[in-house]
Amino acid sequence: MKKLLFIVGLALTSLTVSAQEQEVGLPAGLFTLEWKFNPFDYESKPVKVAQLNARMFLNDKSAVRLGVGVGFDRDTDENSSKLEGTSTTETFSKITNDALTLRFSLGYEYHFANTGRLDFYGGLEGGYLGRFYSATKELSTTTITPETTSSIVNTTYENAEYKKRSSDGDKVNENGFFGSVFTGIDYYIYKKLYIGAELGITFNMGKKSNGNYTEVKGQRQTIGTAVVSESASKYSSETGIYTATDGTITHRPIIETKGTYTKVYIEPSIRIGWMF
């Protein structure tokens, strides 16, 4: 029994010494580099936003940090159907929306509690935040009518390309600045390696850019492999020029979608970093 107690005591002493050796202080001049991931965007929708942060400790309580973040999200909605009878009708639609986020920030942290492995802090940061959108749309309806020697194929189609906006126009490019109040915690796994979590309240405001699109609508008829007829109209919302199927050009009013925006939202993030 005495031998068992002696072995347990020796093991506990060894673990205590090991833990003490791994305790981390925050001396002045300490530099850290970390990867920060925000699992949600400002509308609480999933989006991939990753940020690289650099921190420089001025002393054991204060640190300044610099961050560069990039996020990209692609949403594709594709559908097709077929209706068979005397003629076969096939429909197809594909809408793709892309969103790019750029973020540059400068901030200050105050580390109010450090237990060696756990480090608690709060702070402020601000900087530039831009969101950029684009999209494409493909729609088509094809009717195939069997004939004695070949099939007649009638197709109507619509293709559109969107710049500085989403396909339905509810989002356009944004350029502005942001300010955040945040608090977080770091856990030092082993010596210089740590993981952390952070929660912030962000105020974001700026200007919206004018979104535009180019649209082509047409129809085509083929018999076998030969194209019998084809016509299409074109329209550009950027120039307002509309070209009809007969080649007639007219000018339509250009709709401006410029404006300003203001948002307040909560930003959670997870982090992993290394001390140098």
Side-chain angles (χ1 to χ4, degrees):
M1 185 65 179
K2 292 182 179 179
K3 289 183 179 180
L4 179 61
L5 291 175
F6 175 76
I7 293 173
V8 172
L10 185 63
L12 291 174
T13 302
S14 177
L15 288 174
T16 302
V17 172
S18 177
Q20 290 176 348
E21 289 177 350
Q22 294 178 22
E23 288 186 355
V24 179
L26 300 173
L30 183 66
F31 178 76
T32 71
L33 194 63
E34 66 182 35
W35 175 80
K36 179 180 177 183
F37 177 70
N38 181 358
F40 300 99
D41 68 359
Y42 65 96
E43 292 178 335
S44 298
K45 297 179 181 179
V47 65
K48 298 178 177 64
V49 178
Q51 182 165 318
L52 187 65
N53 271 7
R55 296 195 296 184
M56 177 65 73
F57 284 85
L58 307 177
N59 51 53
D60 61 351
K61 295 291 185 181
S62 299
V64 293
R65 72 182 192 182
L66 178 67
V68 177
V70 178
F72 180 76
D73 185 44
R74 169 166 288 181
D75 177 28
T76 300
D77 184 12
E78 184 173 337
N79 294 285
S80 62
S81 63
K82 178 186 288 188
L83 180 62
E84 295 185 349
T86 305
S87 299
T88 300
T89 301
E90 299 178 353
T91 60
F92 173 78
S93 67
K94 182 179 180 181
I95 300 175
T96 301
N97 287 286
D98 291 335
L100 174 67
T101 302
L102 296 178
R103 178 183 177 121
F104 303 95
S105 62
L106 179 65
Y108 169 80
E109 297 176 0
Y110 178 73
H111 294 252
F112 51 84
N114 184 290
T115 65
R117 282 185 175 272
L118 291 176
D119 179 35
F120 300 87
Y121 66 91
L124 303 167
E125 74 173 349
Y128 167 80
L129 181 60
R131 302 182 180 94
F132 307 93
Y133 302 96
S134 63
T136 57
K137 179 170 67 175
E138 301 175 46
L139 304 175
S140 67
T141 301
T142 302
T143 302
I144 305 173
T145 305
E147 292 292 320
T148 304
T149 56
S150 58
S151 297
I152 299 175
V153 180
N154 290 295
T155 302
T156 59
Y157 58 88
E158 177 182 344
N159 298 321
E161 182 178 355
Y162 302 87
K163 297 179 180 179
K164 301 181 182 179
R165 54 164 283 188
S166 59
S167 58
D168 56 7
D170 66 332
K171 296 178 181 178
V172 297
N173 282 11
E174 300 176 357
N175 283 280
F177 69 90
F178 75 94
S180 295
V181 178
F182 58 84
T183 185
I185 180 174
D186 290 334
Y187 176 71
Y188 290 88
I189 302 173
Y190 179 76
K191 293 184 178 179
K192 297 183 178 182
L193 178 66
Y194 66 91
I195 58 174
E198 192 171 287
L199 186 65
I201 299 177
T202 299
F203 173 80
N204 178 212
M205 68 180 299
K207 294 183 178 181
K208 296 182 178 180
S209 301
N210 185 42
N212 55 70
Y213 64 95
T214 302
E215 184 179 67
V216 178
K217 294 182 179 181
Q219 54 186 7
R220 179 190 310 111
Q221 184 182 79
T222 61
I223 299 178
T225 58
V227 178
V228 177
S229 63
E230 184 171 9
S231 60
S233 63
K234 299 179 181 180
Y235 174 67
S236 171
S237 68
E238 185 176 13
T239 62
I241 296 177
Y242 173 76
T243 305
T245 55
D246 61 359
T248 303
I249 296 177
T250 57
H251 293 268
R252 297 180 177 181
I254 298 176
I255 300 175
E256 297 286 341
T257 57
K258 294 181 179 180
T260 59
Y261 63 90
T262 302
K263 303 183 181 80
V264 178
Y265 47 92
I266 295 175
E267 282 192 295
S269 63
I270 55 177
R271 303 165 19 256
I272 181 168
W274 184 263
M275 298 166 52
F276 293 90

